[in-house]
């Protein structure tokens, strides 16, 4: 029981007793403790915490150990009816199986002889007649498809477009590329070929073996986007029509001719204002197999039970996964993204746990949720919100989500180190927005920056972290964020670059906001829809 003297002092200061208490517990969130946790979670031995890896599992175990050390309840039910902190879930990694093209007695393989610009599925080897269609352009009087029926066939095209002697586009008439030229010309060509009925599309994207090797080295890393993780097996939006980026040598095999003949044909077309007349043909067989590999991952959940309003639950969240190890072997430690948010959750959890231990626990229950899979498409929070909420969403009052705090972004360099971007606070609840503003004005006095709360902002940050999987279910949210910087998704996102005093202040703002939400008489009203 608090002494009468303390109550008198609180009254003299003009503060309600609860304000004194919450400041006492907020002050247990310290820069030193945030740094202590982050030096563990963002260490090299966590191997970048990529979803489904040993490093991610090691990070999950550390978070669970901290929840246990602070006395949070373990409420995730396992198959053996025991409860724990780990919420396991299965992801399905969509990868290529057999993926090759055979033509003119040669077999060409993915990532060695060709790349693809899109997903496709040809599960069994299928044979096609190949047809040469020049640059693959139909525009005004220039028509590479005139008198050519490519329905059900594989078309072979040159990248780029024909130009006049002074370097202007034959089609567009200007020095700038037309829609058929430039780095994205393949899109217009592919769309047209599909409209013409082509079954496969091969674009000769490099004239020499050396140039093609250079293209492979530049673009191969981007092919990783086709090794996707998802929550459902076999669920992909795939086409049976592929768009292949190939070398001139492979193009020659597809057309049953020689690389020299292809080079001569390219030279002729590049200098002509007339479309293709060559009737070069051949055959090719394609197999593009997609398969699922199971990947095991997990969220980590800790729980503090409330008192008279314990059936209403507030979530405080972050994601603890990052992007792992780069192709060149460098570890992406993700200190800011989102080690900073995760250690903030740990510190806020210990503050509320200490309050509860001293008889000042929250009226509403609080669920501390650290998720994986964020970097793969918000998958851990999607699993929780859409498939397996530990507490029904109908009982969930709000989600306060922390992602990338404790860094000064490029927009604030030299201007302010006392700010936080507040995103989404007014989108579903006007009360939540007011609570946030009041908590800051009374306690932390930070600059609340609403730049990314603007639905017209091109970065669309509101849709890019885990809070969104709650907002889409009309659960009010706030997303706390310090902005982007040059170390984003780079091996240089390290602990040494974190401003722990800024991270401390940000975490305390979340704590003060959460304290008010947890202890107010009425549940937050959902009265706004500004998405």
């Amino acid at each position: 029981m608090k002494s009468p003297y303390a109550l008198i002092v609180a009254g003299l200061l003009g503060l309600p007793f609860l304000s004194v208490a919450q400041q006492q517990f907020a002050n247990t969130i310290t820069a030193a403790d945030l740094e202590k946790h982050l030096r563990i979670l963002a260490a090299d031995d966590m191997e970048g915490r990529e979803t489904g890896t040993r490093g991610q599992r090691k990070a999950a175990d550390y978070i669970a150990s901290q929840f246990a050390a602070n006395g949070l309840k373990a409420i995730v039910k396992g198959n053996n009816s025991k409860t724990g902190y780990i919420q396991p879930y299965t992801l399905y990694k969509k990868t290529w199986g057999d993926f090759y093209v055979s033509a003119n007695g040669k077999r060409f393989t993915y990532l060695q002889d060709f790349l693809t610009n899109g997903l496709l599925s040809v599960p069994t080897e299928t044979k096609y007649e190949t047809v040469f269609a020049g640059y693959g352009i139909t525009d005004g009087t220039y028509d590479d498809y005139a008198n050519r029926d490519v329905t059900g066939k594989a078309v072979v095209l040159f990248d780029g477009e024909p130009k006049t002697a002074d370097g202007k586009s034959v089609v567009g008439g200007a020095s700038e590329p037309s829609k058929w030229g430039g780095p994205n010309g393949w899109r217009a060509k592919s769309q047209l070929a599909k409209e013409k009925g082509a079954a496969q599309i091969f674009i000769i994207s490099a004239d020499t073996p050396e140039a093609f090797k250079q293209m492979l080295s530049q673009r191969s890393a981007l092919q990783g986007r086709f090794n996707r993780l998802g929550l459902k097996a076999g669920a992909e939006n795939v086409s049976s029509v592929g768009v292949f980026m190939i070398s001139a040598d492979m193009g020659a095999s597809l057309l049953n001719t020689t690389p020299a003949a292809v080079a001569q044909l390219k030279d002729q077309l590049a200098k002509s204002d007339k479309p293709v007349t060559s009737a070069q043909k051949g055959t090719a067989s394609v197999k593009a197999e997609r398969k699922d590999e199971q990947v095991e991952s997990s969220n980590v959940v800790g729980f503090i039970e409330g008192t008279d309003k314990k059936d209403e639950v507030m979530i405080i969240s972050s994601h603890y996964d990052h992007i792992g190890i780069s192709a060149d072997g460098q570890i992406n430690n993700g200190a800011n993204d989102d080690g900073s948010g995760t250690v903030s959750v740990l510190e806020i959890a210990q503050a509320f746990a200490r309050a509860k231990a001293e008889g000042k626990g929250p009226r509403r229950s609080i669920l501390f949720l650290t998720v994986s899979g964020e970097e793969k498409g918000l998958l851990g929070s999607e699993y929780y919100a859409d498939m397996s909420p530990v507490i029904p969403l109908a009982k969930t009052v709000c989600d306060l989500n922390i992602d990338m705090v404790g860094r000064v972004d490029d927009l604030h360099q030299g201007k302010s180190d006392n700010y936080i971007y507040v995103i989404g606070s007014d989108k579903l609840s006007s009360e939540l927005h007011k609570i946030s503003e009041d908590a800051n004005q009374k306690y932390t006095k930070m600059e609340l920056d609403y730049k990314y709360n603007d639905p017209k902002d091109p970065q669309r940050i509101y849709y890019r972290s885990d809070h969104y999987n709650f907002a889409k279910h009309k659960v009010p949210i706030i997303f706390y964020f310090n902005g982007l910087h040059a170390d984003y998704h780079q091996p240089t996102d390290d602990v040494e670059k974190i401003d722990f005093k800024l991270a401390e202040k940000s975490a305390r703002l979340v704590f003060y906001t959460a304290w008010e939400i947890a202890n107010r008489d009425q549940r937050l009203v959902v009265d706004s829809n500004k998405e």
Side-chain angles (χ1 to χ4, degrees), residues 69-81:
N70 284 305
L72 275 66
K73 291 182 67 174
I75 62 169
V76 180
K77 293 180 180 178
N79 293 331
N80 57 4
S81 298

Side-chain angles (χ1 to χ4, degrees), residues 413-480:
Q413 284 289 348
K415 299 177 182 178
S416 174
D417 60 357
N418 184 42
Y419 76 97
I420 188 78
Y421 291 110
V422 176
I423 304 163
S425 60
D426 65 339
K427 293 194 182 297
L428 290 164
S429 174
S430 58
E431 288 182 346
L432 179 58
H433 180 72
K434 186 175 188 307
I435 288 169
S436 170
E437 290 265 342
D438 289 348
N440 179 63
Q441 184 176 8
K442 187 172 184 179
Y443 298 109
T444 49
K445 302 187 187 311
M446 300 179 78
E447 174 195 341
L448 304 186
D449 192 325
Y450 294 101
K451 167 182 166 57
Y452 292 121
N453 199 49
D454 183 350
K456 296 179 181 178
D457 187 86
Q459 293 285 353
R460 292 174 61 81
I461 297 292
Y462 176 68
Y463 303 96
R464 290 172 53 183
S465 192
D466 294 292
H467 61 277
Y468 184 68
N469 279 319
F470 295 96
K472 71 184 185 184
H473 289 290
K474 306 304 179 186
V475 175
I477 64 90
I478 300 178
F479 173 25
Y480 300 91

Side-chain angles (χ1 to χ4, degrees), residues 314-317 398-402 432 478 480 510 513-514 517:
M314 170 174 53
I315 293 175
I316 300 176
S317 65
C398 69
D399 172 45
L400 306 182
N401 183 53
I402 314 168
L432 179 58
I478 300 178
Y480 300 91
V510 179
T513 304
I517 296 166

Side-chain angles (χ1 to χ4, degrees), residues 53-73:
T53 66
R54 177 177 60 184
Q56 178 247 296
R57 291 188 289 273
K58 188 173 182 178
D61 289 342
Y62 178 76
I63 295 165
S65 74
Q66 296 307 300
F67 284 165
N70 284 305
L72 275 66
K73 291 182 67 174

Side-chain angles (χ1 to χ4, degrees), residues 63 69 123 131 150 159 183 197-198 215 255 271 286 330 332 352 437 443 452 531:
I63 295 165
V131 178
V150 299
D159 198 11
M215 188 192 81
L255 296 172
K271 298 175 181 177
V286 176
Q330 294 190 77
N332 296 276
F352 273 107
E437 290 265 342
Y443 298 109
Y452 292 121
E531 293 185 85

Side-chain angles (χ1 to χ4, degrees), residues 12 16 47 55 65 93 101 188 233-234 327 419 433 467 474 512 528:
L12 291 173
E47 299 175 338
S65 74
K93 185 177 183 180
V101 178
Y419 76 97
H433 180 72
H467 61 277
K474 306 304 179 186
Y512 285 125
S528 186

